[in-house]
Amino acid sequence: MFSPSFRSILAATLLVTLAACGTNVPRLDDAPVNSYATPVGYKGIRYWGDAELKKLNEASAERLAELKAAHKIDPSIPLDHAYYLAISGGGGDGAYGAGILNGWSKAGTRPQFEVVTGISTGALSAPYAFLGSAYDDKLKEIYTTINDSDVMKKNGPIGALLGTSLTDNSPLKALVAKYVTQDLLDKIAIEGGKGRRLLIGTTNLDAQRPVVWDMTAIAASGNPDRLQLFRNVLVASAAIPGVFPPQLIKVTADGKLYEELHVDGGTTTQAFLVSAQNSLKDVDKALNFPRKRSLYIIMNGTFAPEAEKTETKTLAIAARSISTLIKNQSIGDAYRMYAQCQKDGIAYNITSIPSDFTDKAKSSFDTAYMRKLYDRGYQLGQTPAAWDKEPPDYNR
């Protein structure tokens, strides 16, 4: 799912520098498993992504009331049919998803999504996907004009060995700050009031568990630092361990202040909707309001094997192994989400980079490569052929 150069950086980091990932700031001695630990000044803005959401029925009832109220004012807001969008990680391959979304807008068939989820590069595009086609130009700009220097700069050998990562992500933070503005946050908050949700996944590295952040709740919180927390979560979701610095997030638990270590959401999952322990069909029964549902998954990578001669050297073998692991994790997530859809009667749709797209990126964020990939996604996104109804090789 990543370019060869990016995979090499990742492999080198995991082998050499990850053990050096430490700070002098106060943190929990043990993994912060307290489900009630929460960022300072907030409540109810996140939950474990691998556990049953105990109050899903109550939260769904609240959302449904908001949707009904919004539908009365604007009948174009879907009520009987819920559309969901999940965007995966993939680094520069996120250009594919941007192209798909914009091509879909061009075709005039892109629905308004009730829930949008994002992981890693998908976290960076999810806010624009959530706000709709009016932000297509911004989405295109991000994925067809940036290069490596807009996202990272390499640390020196000493900084890489003794610090928390091989690269400095200050360019990425500046990029996020440029595009994630107070105006964008306010618009997301407004949409949240209509019963819609924007969810971003990170990984709590100490706990080895996925965390789902309700970005609409953060945006609507009124907390004076909500813009900074919103940006921090996006940066954390894209923080590939060892390659980018982890994001430390201050939380309180039992009245005490701690810091949590958050990294790339793709460390635990490549795409998500709801926990396997929850059932949307059960929600319908509890609320006595059955709804039709459709899920669209954008996998910013290819499921097809990519033959490549691997050098018999430590870093090359590690890089190739990690790439293979990520690819197969994506396939597993595609099947997991398919099983959830089958259980809950949700229409399943998935797209990934076609196997006949054979261009290779020369760097992690190769602008020329990303433009070609965006164009391919844009053309494909205008057609129903973009979407498969089953996970890869399901009937083979």
Side-chain angles (χ1 to χ4, degrees):
M1 307 290 276
F2 299 108
S3 68
S5 62
F6 204 67
R7 295 196 299 264
S8 296
I9 293 175
L10 177 59
T13 301
L14 291 177
L15 289 173
V16 180
T17 68
L18 191 56
C21 186
T23 70
N24 294 320
V25 298
R27 293 184 31 224
L28 290 175
D29 294 330
D30 298 316
V33 296
N34 313 60
S35 61
Y36 52 86
T38 185
V40 179
Y42 293 89
K43 185 178 180 181
I45 62 167
R46 65 179 193 166
Y47 53 90
W48 294 118
D50 59 354
E52 180 183 4
L53 190 56
K54 299 291 186 181
K55 296 184 178 181
L56 181 59
N57 287 350
E58 293 91 329
S60 298
E62 180 181 334
R63 244 181 9 93
L64 183 59
E66 292 171 339
L67 277 168
K68 287 180 176 179
H71 179 77
K72 282 186 178 180
I73 297 171
D74 180 2
S76 69
I77 295 175
L79 184 59
D80 295 330
H81 194 150
Y83 295 92
Y84 306 132
L85 174 68
I87 313 175
S88 83
D93 283 347
Y96 175 72
I100 285 287
L101 287 167
N102 287 8
W104 206 353
S105 295
K106 174 70 173 178
T109 54
R110 177 174 159 186
Q112 181 186 87
F113 297 106
E114 187 173 309
V115 177
V116 175
T117 73
I119 289 281
S120 198
T121 195
L124 303 181
S125 58
Y128 291 123
F130 179 75
L131 290 177
S133 301
Y135 285 83
D136 283 358
D137 288 345
K138 289 290 186 183
L139 199 55
K140 179 180 180 181
E141 180 182 317
I142 292 171
Y143 283 99
T144 61
T145 64
I146 66 170
N147 56 40
D148 286 20
S149 64
D150 293 313
V151 179
M152 68 183 92
K153 59 182 179 181
K154 292 183 179 180
N155 286 326
I158 300 300
L161 287 170
L162 301 180
T164 61
S165 62
L166 279 181
T167 70
D168 176 352
N169 70 345
S170 56
L172 175 61
K173 288 184 175 180
L175 191 71
V176 170
K178 173 184 175 182
Y179 286 101
V180 179
T181 63
Q182 186 62 54
D183 179 67
L184 186 84
L185 208 68
D186 292 342
K187 286 183 169 61
I188 288 171
I190 290 170
E191 293 306 309
K194 298 176 183 178
R196 303 178 63 214
R197 294 295 182 265
L198 171 62
L199 307 175
I200 298 299
T202 66
T203 297
N204 183 320
L205 196 58
D206 291 324
Q208 291 189 319
R209 297 180 69 182
V211 177
V212 176
W213 298 80
D214 185 342
M215 307 300 276
T216 33
I218 294 174
S221 68
N223 194 300
D225 76 339
R226 63 190 182 281
L227 179 59
Q228 190 58 56
L229 179 61
F230 195 103
R231 291 170 174 171
N232 286 348
V233 172
L234 296 184
V235 171
S237 186
I240 298 172
V243 177
F244 293 128
Q247 185 70 48
L248 286 161
I249 296 178
K250 288 183 172 64
V251 298
T252 56
D254 295 327
K256 298 179 181 179
L257 182 66
Y258 300 101
E259 283 189 317
E260 294 177 345
L261 197 68
H262 286 259
V263 297
D264 192 342
T267 306
T268 44
T269 185
Q270 288 295 312
F272 72 96
L273 180 59
V274 294
S275 171
Q277 289 93 323
N278 288 115
S279 168
L280 295 179
K281 185 177 288 186
D282 289 345
V283 170
D284 287 349
K285 290 179 181 177
L287 302 185
N288 194 28
F289 193 86
R291 307 181 72 199
K292 185 176 181 181
R293 292 183 169 90
S294 297
L295 169 65
Y296 292 86
I297 306 167
I298 296 176
M299 283 290 187
N300 289 305
T302 179
F303 292 126
E306 299 170 278
E308 182 181 297
K309 186 181 291 185
T310 305
E311 292 183 85
T312 52
K313 295 181 179 180
T314 302
L315 293 184
I317 292 170
R320 187 64 169 168
S321 299
I322 292 166
S323 172
T324 304
L325 184 151
I326 292 171
K327 183 187 294 288
N328 283 279
Q329 181 191 33
S330 299
I331 294 171
D333 286 335
Y335 273 81
R336 171 181 54 79
M337 297 177 80
Y338 181 73
Q340 287 179 290
C341 286
Q342 292 292 100
K343 178 181 71 174
D344 283 340
I346 302 172
Y348 178 94
N349 305 271
I350 190 167
T351 186
S352 61
I353 298 175
S355 59
D356 62 357
F357 183 84
T358 56
D359 289 67
K360 301 294 183 183
K362 295 179 180 178
S363 65
S364 304
F365 294 89
D366 178 349
T367 309
Y369 166 84
M370 291 167 66
R371 286 173 178 168
K372 289 181 181 179
L373 185 55
Y374 171 88
D375 289 342
R376 182 60 184 275
Y378 183 74
Q379 294 302 320
L380 192 57
Q382 296 177 53
T383 72
W387 303 100
D388 293 319
K389 302 299 181 181
E390 296 171 340
D393 299 329
Y394 184 75
N395 286 315
R396 177 175 289 185

